């Protein structure tokens, strides 16, 4: 079957597909068309990685749009949303408008209504449904990518419930579910009332085997000799072996999967020895250029390490990298410039980065719940192995596991090479998932009675997979009790009604348990006056270094007062040093009056189930215990006792997370934070984003409950969003001015956007380190009539203060504010870009 045989596509699309090199549809694609995927019928396609699932989705969505409909593509990871959107944008020339949901409901609302094809994560879709986005009713085709992830206990239930809701809103909805090969695709198809297309066809042969001793032992019984030198790691021998085999003038590239970020970095560094000696001179020049781009994009140790590896033809890839570094690595690997990538499974599974040889080095991973190493699922290993072989470029793909004894080799054969992948099992009956979805289902009017609720839940995969109807009813009742006890809903006989606050919680997309924690914490803060240690219920202070305020009932101090106070303490000398390490002492407001400190608020949101906390490493317990006692009056809510081991650890882990946020909001540079907390720039951004969202939610809850905490919460939120102290909040509001530029301007005496508008140009230019284009853009954004810098000389004093503002000289030159040229309004996140 050819693209032109699919008569339902918009005009011009078949020709465009053929021009892309899609002469024939792959067999699973033809099977999907025969099953009606282009005619509006629901289809579950369970086929191996790299067998062209995206095109199945495109055939369905584009045909649906050609019939006047509207399509939604649900991605499994936020990082994939923009990648998919870019991919689909090539259809815009055929009249298909593409949009991605950014998650900002207000700005999304109307705009998305005008799009034909929308890309979003399941969480975003769930949130849009909860908020009653009207265009959801117009959807005619919904694609769920990687639908086997309904098995994931964290995010699976949201995908499951979202699909059930969308199908209920629109009874004729076409659902196209794309899945890796799983053990029970028929059950998934049964649940979605869809035709099943199941296939193990691949566009390129895949040979799988286990390396043991001096050879790869393939599952067809053949062998390939790959001997390992003394002191050499087997993966190094395998990467070298692939590179030394030239087909059609190209050397074979390798993708090495390992189980942690640290291992990915370590393995890549070691493998540079293999790749470096096999580079052509012109490749070296291109790699140098690529390394420079990576260094320019970020100044963290991680980026520098990555650039060092890249110069010699190897790279690592994990979620701790900035998205810019990630895509630079992916592109260069696809272009065969980078010869070897060491990756963690999470991200690499979703990205189309084929390699001639895939090496699954680690097949066990640390499992916190289990408390030790656990083997990966067969499904996951199959997905990694499926990345082997680039159609049209390699003669075949090879996927290799590693064993250092015969027993392990036998085990690997049984567990991964000969085994069928696992069945997909719903995780909806887990309490945290139900808590969230039951409230949302009631609040958004999907169910108004207990029986209606159970009837809705009956349409989920969970219900279709269980014989025990009582279990769902029992957990649901427990959850209803919890929600009623926290005033999120009212129950009157069979009737269920969400309260005002319940509606808010659902709309804000909070886990009800997070909302309960936040509300309790804010109330407690109000009652105790926030910093009143004497009111702290669970413990007595071991040292009396902080005088609790005498009058716990004193009114609230505003956030700005608080910050001014804090900054006054920390910044008195205006010294870069005091600023760069200001976190702790700067905001230690004990005795200065009752107010909610930023740290207290960061800690409050950090201990909710919606925040993924930092781990305590060895020695951390003592460090954070000490900090806890030092700053005890600032914490909101009831601290557990030191003897409640798990709860206490949790409290301290939240404190570590809160300290990271506080450091960020005190202008500590990204590199120092990364080092101090042992995290990558991607992690810092993740924590900051989550904190911003949770504090925004806290602000709304406080305002709805008329708690006077609103202003403190807002100040804390804005500071964490922009990564600045209070005094810079106005300046960072100017487009193109990130935290670093704001600090430089401030130190040069320009303290507000109004002052910037009127400021002496030479001072602005000096503060912005002589960059004329930047200075012009910034002035223009501030509303200056004539922003031109023609003939303006940079003021030396301003330059000197800018350098001083950077603390340690040139550091930060290439990061932070320098990204402010981007006119996406995100300049305040410069450090992450
Ligand atoms: P999956 O989602 O199944 O892992 P993708 O949809 O990413 O796989 O497809 C893998 C690659 O195959 C893509 O580069 C895609 O352009 C290409 N491809 C898909 N269908 C065809 C086809 N019929 N002919 C040639 N190439 C195709």
């Amino acid at each position: 079957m050819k693209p032109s045989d699919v008569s339902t596509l918009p005009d011009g699309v078949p020709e465009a597909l053929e021009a892309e090199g899609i002469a024939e549809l792959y067999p699973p694609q033809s099977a999907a068309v025969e099953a009606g995927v282009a005619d509006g019928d629901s289809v579950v396609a369970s086929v191996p990685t790299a067998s062209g699932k995206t095109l199945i989705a495109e055939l369905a969505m584009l045909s649906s749009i050609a019939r006047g409909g509207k399509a939604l593509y649900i991605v499994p990871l936020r990082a994939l949303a923009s990648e998919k959107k870019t991919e689909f944008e090539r259809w815009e020339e055929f009249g298909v408008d593409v949009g991605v949901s950014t998650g900002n409901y207000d700005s999304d609302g109307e705009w998305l209504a005008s799009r034909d094809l929308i890309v979003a994560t399941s969480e975003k879709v769930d949130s849009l449904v909860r908020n009653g986005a009207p265009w959801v009713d117009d959807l005619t085709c919904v694609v769920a990518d990687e639908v086997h992830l309904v098995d994931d206990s964290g995010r699976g239930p949201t995908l499951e419930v979202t699909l059930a809701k969308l199908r209920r809103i629109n009874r004729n909805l076409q659902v196209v579910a794309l899945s890796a090969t799983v053990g029970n695709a028929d059950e998934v198809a049964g649940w979605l009332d869809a035709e099943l297309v199941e296939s193990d066809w691949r566009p390129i042969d895949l040979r799988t085997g286990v390396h043991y001793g001096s050879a790869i032992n393939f599952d067809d019984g053949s062998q390939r000799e790959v001997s390992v030198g003394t002191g050499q790691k087997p993966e190094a021998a395998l990467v070298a072996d692939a590179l030394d085999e030239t087909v059609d003038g190209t050397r074979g590239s390798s993708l090495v999967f390992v189980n942690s970020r640290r291992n990915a970095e370590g393995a890549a560094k070691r493998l540079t020895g293999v790749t470096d000696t096999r580079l052509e001179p012109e490749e070296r020049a291109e790699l140098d250029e690529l390394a420079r781009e990576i260094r320019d994009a970020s100044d963290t140790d991680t980026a520098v390490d990555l650039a060092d590896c890249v110069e010699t033809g190897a790279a690592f890839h994990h979620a701790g990298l900035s998205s810019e570094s990630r895509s630079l690595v992916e592109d260069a690997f696809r272009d065969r410039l980078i010869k070897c990538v060491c990756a963690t499974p999470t991200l690499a599974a979703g990205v189309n980065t084929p390699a001639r040889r895939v090496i699954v080095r680690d097949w066990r991973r640390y499992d916190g719940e289990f408390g030790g190493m656990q083997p990966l699922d067969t499904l996951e290993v199959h997905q990694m192995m499926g990345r082997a072989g680039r159609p049209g470029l390699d003669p075949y793909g090879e996927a290799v596991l590693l064993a250092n004894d015969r027993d392990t080799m036998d085990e690997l054969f049984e567990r991964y090479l000969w085994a069928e992948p696992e069945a997909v099992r719903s995780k909806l009956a887990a309490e945290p998932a139900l808590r969230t979805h039951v409230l949302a289902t009631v609040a958004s009017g999907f169910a108004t009675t207990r029986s209606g609720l159970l009837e809705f839940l009956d349409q989920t995969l969970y219900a279709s997979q269980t014989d025990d109807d009582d279990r769902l009813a029992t957990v649901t009742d427990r959850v209803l009790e919890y929600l009623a006890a926290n005033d999120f809903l009212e129950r009157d006989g069979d009737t269920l009604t969400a309260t005002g606050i319940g509606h808010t919680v659902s709309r804000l997309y909070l886990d009800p348990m997070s909302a309960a924690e936040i509300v309790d914490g804010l109330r407690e803060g109000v009652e105790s006056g926030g910093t009143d240690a004497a009111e702290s219920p669970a413990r007595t202070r071991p040292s009396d270094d902080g005088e609790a305020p005498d009058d716990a009932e004193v009114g609230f101090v505003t956030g700005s007062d608080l910050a001014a106070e804090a900054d006054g303490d920390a910044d008195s000398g205006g010294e870069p040093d005091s600023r760069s390490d200001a976190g702790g002492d700067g905001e230690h407001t004990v005795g200065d009056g009752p107010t909610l400190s930023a740290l207290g608020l960061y800690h409050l949101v950090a201990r909710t189930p919606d925040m993924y906390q930092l781990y305590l490493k060895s020695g951390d317990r003592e460090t954070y215990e000490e900090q806890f006692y030092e700053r005890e009056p600032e914490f909101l809510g009831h601290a557990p006792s030191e003897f409640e081991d798990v709860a206490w650890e949790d409290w301290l882990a939240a404190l570590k997370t809160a300290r990271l946020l506080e450091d960020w909001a005190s202008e500590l540079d990204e590199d120092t934070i990364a080092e101090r907390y042992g995290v990558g720039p991607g992690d810092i951004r993740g924590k900051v984003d989550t904190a911003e969202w949770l504090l925004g939610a806290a602000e709304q809850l406080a305002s709805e409950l008329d708690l006077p905490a609103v202003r403190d919460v807002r100040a804390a939120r804005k500071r964490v969003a922009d990564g600045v102290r209070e005094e810079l909040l106005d300046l960072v509001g100017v487009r193109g001015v990130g935290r670093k530029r704001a600090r430089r301007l401030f130190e040069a005496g320009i303290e507000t956007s109004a002052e910037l508008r009127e400021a002496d140009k030479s001072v602005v230019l000096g503060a912005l380190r002589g960059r004329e284009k930047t200075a012009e853009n910034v002035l223009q954004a501030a509303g200056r009539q004539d922003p031109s810098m023609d003939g303006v000389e940079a003021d030396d004093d301003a330059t000197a203060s800018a350098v001083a503002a950077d603390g340690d000289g040139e550091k930060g030159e290439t990061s932070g504010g320098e990204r402010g040229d981007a006119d996406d309004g995100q300049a305040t996140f410069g450090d992450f870009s």
Side-chain angles (χ1 to χ4, degrees):
M1 193 183 283
K2 297 183 187 327
S4 55
D5 295 329
V6 185
S7 60
T8 48
L9 291 169
D11 289 346
V13 167
E15 293 75 14
L17 285 171
E18 280 163 23
E20 279 175 15
I22 303 194
E24 286 285 330
L25 296 187
Y26 286 159
Q29 295 164 343
S30 300
V33 172
E34 273 153 25
V37 86
D39 299 316
D41 295 334
S42 291
V43 168
V44 169
S46 173
V47 293
T49 314
S51 307
K53 288 192 282 287
T54 312
L55 184 58
I56 296 181
E58 289 177 308
L59 296 176
M61 298 190 296
L62 294 173
S63 299
S64 192
I65 293 165
R67 287 189 292 270
K70 190 178 183 79
L72 172 67
Y73 189 99
I74 305 178
V75 283
L77 286 172
R78 198 158 58 151
L80 292 179
S82 50
E83 186 175 302
K84 282 293 172 196
K85 182 194 141 220
T86 311
E87 193 176 342
F88 297 147
E89 266 168 355
R90 70 192 200 284
W91 304 121
E92 296 211 317
E93 64 173 295
F94 304 99
V96 176
D97 297 324
V98 181
V100 58
S101 168
T102 58
N104 181 340
Y105 179 70
D106 295 333
S107 66
D108 269 3
E110 280 182 29
W111 187 71
L112 289 182
S114 70
R115 307 281 99 182
D116 303 311
L117 198 174
I118 294 162
V119 181
T121 59
S122 48
E123 286 75 16
K124 287 289 168 276
V125 180
D126 187 15
S127 158
L128 288 159
V129 171
R130 288 185 197 191
N131 284 283
W135 55 263
V136 170
D137 299 358
D138 304 334
L139 290 173
T140 52
C141 174
V142 167
V143 177
D145 193 5
E146 311 250 359
V147 77
H148 53 269
L149 293 174
V150 290
D151 192 281
D152 183 278
S153 54
R155 308 181 48 214
T158 301
L159 177 59
E160 182 178 344
V161 169
T162 301
L163 285 176
K165 279 187 183 166
L166 291 173
R167 294 181 69 211
R168 189 169 167 125
I169 293 173
N170 185 342
R171 306 256 173 196
N172 298 318
L173 185 67
Q174 174 187 22
V175 178
V176 177
L178 310 175
S179 170
T181 32
V182 295
N184 60 341
D186 52 335
E187 277 181 33
V188 179
W191 164 50
L192 295 170
D193 300 310
E195 285 289 320
L196 175 63
V197 171
E198 201 172 14
S199 164
D200 52 15
W201 181 88
R202 284 183 40 97
I204 177 165
D205 279 347
L206 176 63
R207 311 180 69 202
T208 56
V210 177
H211 183 271
Y212 164 58
S214 57
I216 308 174
N217 302 276
F218 288 105
D219 61 347
D220 61 5
S222 65
Q223 282 195 326
R224 177 185 174 106
E225 192 187 332
V226 181
S227 44
V228 181
T230 346
Q232 195 185 26
K233 299 258 183 196
E235 63 268 25
L238 286 161
V239 170
D241 177 65
L243 274 174
D244 290 340
E245 190 181 48
T246 303
V247 179
D248 290 341
T250 40
R251 294 165 173 274
S253 58
S254 299
L255 189 53
V256 183
F257 285 107
V258 298
N259 59 9
S260 73
R261 297 177 186 184
R262 232 190 26 202
N263 284 339
E265 295 179 14
K269 276 181 208 162
R270 278 195 303 275
L271 287 169
T272 54
V274 176
T275 52
D276 193 20
T277 53
R278 291 170 172 83
L279 294 175
E280 306 298 333
E282 62 275 11
E283 289 179 325
R284 225 174 262 288
E286 285 181 63
L287 287 166
D288 280 346
E289 172 62 22
L290 177 65
R292 200 185 52 73
E293 278 183 67
I294 293 172
R295 286 196 192 95
D296 276 359
S298 172
D299 68 344
T300 59
D301 287 349
T302 315
V304 172
D305 289 350
L306 177 64
D308 290 348
C309 287
V310 162
E311 271 174 1
T312 50
F316 50 88
H317 184 293
H318 57 60
L321 292 182
S322 69
S323 59
E324 200 167 346
S325 302
R326 269 204 316 261
S327 49
L328 286 170
V329 167
E330 288 159 19
D331 291 345
F333 189 57
R334 275 192 289 262
D335 293 344
R336 290 176 280 172
L337 184 57
I338 290 179
K339 309 298 174 196
C340 162
V341 169
C342 300
T344 52
T346 6
L347 254 158
V351 184
N352 185 23
T353 46
R356 186 181 304 165
R357 183 172 280 170
V358 164
I359 301 162
V360 183
R361 194 197 75 175
D362 300 337
W363 53 280
R364 278 184 279 228
R365 164 171 55 206
Y366 184 79
D367 177 342
E369 244 166 70
F370 173 78
M373 302 296 277
Q374 285 282 75
L376 301 178
D377 286 347
T378 307
L379 174 63
E380 206 172 344
V381 171
H382 282 188
Q383 280 198 290
M384 295 180 207
M385 297 200 298
R387 289 281 160 223
R390 297 162 304 171
L393 292 175
D394 293 325
Y396 52 81
E398 274 178 354
V400 187
L401 289 139
L402 308 183
N404 44 24
D405 55 58
R406 183 162 278 284
D407 285 349
T408 309
M409 177 164 81
D410 293 345
E411 183 181 351
L412 293 176
F413 264 95
E414 268 175 41
R415 196 182 268 284
Y416 298 116
L417 302 194
W418 291 332
E420 288 298 315
E422 292 81 4
V424 168
R425 308 291 311 173
S426 165
K427 299 293 188 293
L428 183 62
E431 230 166 284
L434 260 192
R435 201 158 60 207
T436 304
H437 291 295
V438 162
L439 178 60
T441 305
V442 174
S444 53
F446 266 84
T448 51
T449 58
R450 176 183 174 275
S451 43
L453 178 65
L454 289 173
E455 197 189 304
F456 168 71
L457 292 173
D458 201 42
Q459 293 168 1
T460 58
L461 176 65
Y462 179 81
S464 75
Q465 285 190 324
T466 180
D467 298 330
D468 182 3
D469 288 345
D470 287 352
R471 174 158 154 70
L472 189 58
T474 312
V475 205
T476 305
D477 281 333
R478 215 163 39 224
V479 164
L480 286 173
E481 223 167 273
Y482 174 85
L483 294 172
N486 280 287
D487 290 333
F488 296 140
L489 58 76
E490 278 160 9
R491 201 173 159 174
D492 183 10
D494 194 39
T495 308
L496 302 171
T497 324
T499 60
I501 202 83
H503 274 285
T504 307
V505 171
S506 166
R507 212 166 32 72
L508 291 172
Y509 212 76
L510 288 176
D511 180 333
M513 197 178 257
S514 298
E517 181 88 32
I518 289 173
V519 169
D520 284 354
L522 293 180
R523 281 207 172 112
E524 162 88 16
V526 174
E527 280 156 19
S528 67
T531 54
D532 186 355
E535 297 283 312
S536 186
R539 65 188 59 246
T540 48
R541 297 167 58 81
S543 62
D544 60 352
D545 57 344
E547 327 85 82
D550 291 331
D551 181 4
E553 297 304 315
V554 193
F556 270 77
V557 178
T558 65
S560 39
D561 289 349
L562 159 66
E565 221 169 65
D567 290 336
D569 281 349
D571 253 5
S572 42
E575 296 293 325
D577 277 348
S578 71
R579 202 173 39 249
S580 65
D581 196 8
D585 297 340
E587 299 200 36
H588 193 166
T589 56
V590 175
D592 288 340
T595 185
L596 306 188
S597 82
L599 181 78
L601 290 164
Y602 297 151
H603 185 260
L604 177 61
V605 296
R607 59 180 204 252
T608 67
D610 279 312
M611 176 75 86
Y612 205 71
Q613 293 167 356
L614 295 173
Y615 289 106
L616 290 185
K617 301 201 171 116
S618 75
D620 275 356
R621 191 175 163 128
E622 293 70 32
T623 310
Y624 291 100
E625 268 178 358
E626 205 171 292
Q627 295 194 12
F628 171 79
Y629 289 120
E630 223 170 83
R631 306 186 61 180
E632 187 171 1
E634 294 180 56
F635 299 102
L636 305 169
H638 300 241
S641 129
E642 233 171 275
F643 304 104
E644 298 171 56
D645 230 19
V646 176
W648 180 231
E649 286 254 335
D650 224 42
W651 185 271
L652 295 179
L655 174 52
K656 182 174 176 183
T657 313
R659 287 282 292 115
L660 178 150
L661 295 167
E662 191 189 40
D663 278 347
W664 170 249
S666 305
E667 297 170 43
L668 203 60
D669 76 81
E670 188 192 5
D671 218 4
T672 313
I673 298 181
E675 196 178 311
R676 185 174 287 179
Y677 299 94
V679 295
D683 302 303
I684 305 177
R685 176 168 198 151
K687 300 282 172 283
V688 165
D689 279 351
T690 310
E692 189 188 350
W693 159 58
L694 288 171
L695 287 164
E699 194 179 327
Q700 290 206 30
L701 290 171
S703 124
E704 195 140 332
L705 294 167
D706 266 339
L707 299 175
V710 178
R711 278 174 300 185
D712 293 343
V713 178
R714 184 177 309 145
R717 172 178 63 73
K718 286 170 114 174
R719 285 189 46 204
V720 87
D722 289 326
V724 294
R725 300 170 152 271
E726 176 88 10
E727 75 237 26
L728 297 188
L729 279 176
D730 182 48
L731 274 178
V732 289
V734 176
R735 187 158 51 78
V737 179
R739 62 200 300 239
K740 294 195 173 173
R741 285 185 186 161
R743 177 51 66 192
R744 291 176 196 147
L745 289 164
F746 192 91
E747 296 307 323
I750 303 169
E751 301 190 355
T752 64
S753 53
E755 285 176 26
L756 177 59
R757 204 157 39 240
E758 307 299 328
D760 185 336
K761 281 187 184 175
S762 59
V763 174
V764 176
L765 187 61
L768 296 175
R769 309 169 129 212
R771 294 172 192 224
E772 291 186 10
K773 190 75 206 132
T774 306
E776 287 174 358
N777 288 342
V778 162
L779 275 189
Q780 186 166 17
R784 179 78 154 240
Q785 289 297 339
D786 166 29
S788 166
M789 283 286 157
D790 284 351
V792 177
E793 289 278 323
D795 178 281
D796 288 344
D797 289 347
T799 308
S801 63
V803 172
D806 286 340
D808 42 358
E810 288 303 298
K811 201 165 210 174
E813 170 70 18
T814 51
S815 84
E818 304 311 329
R819 286 278 305 160
D821 284 342
D823 54 20
D824 57 0
Q826 290 295 314
T828 48
F829 268 135
D831 271 24
F832 298 121
S833 305

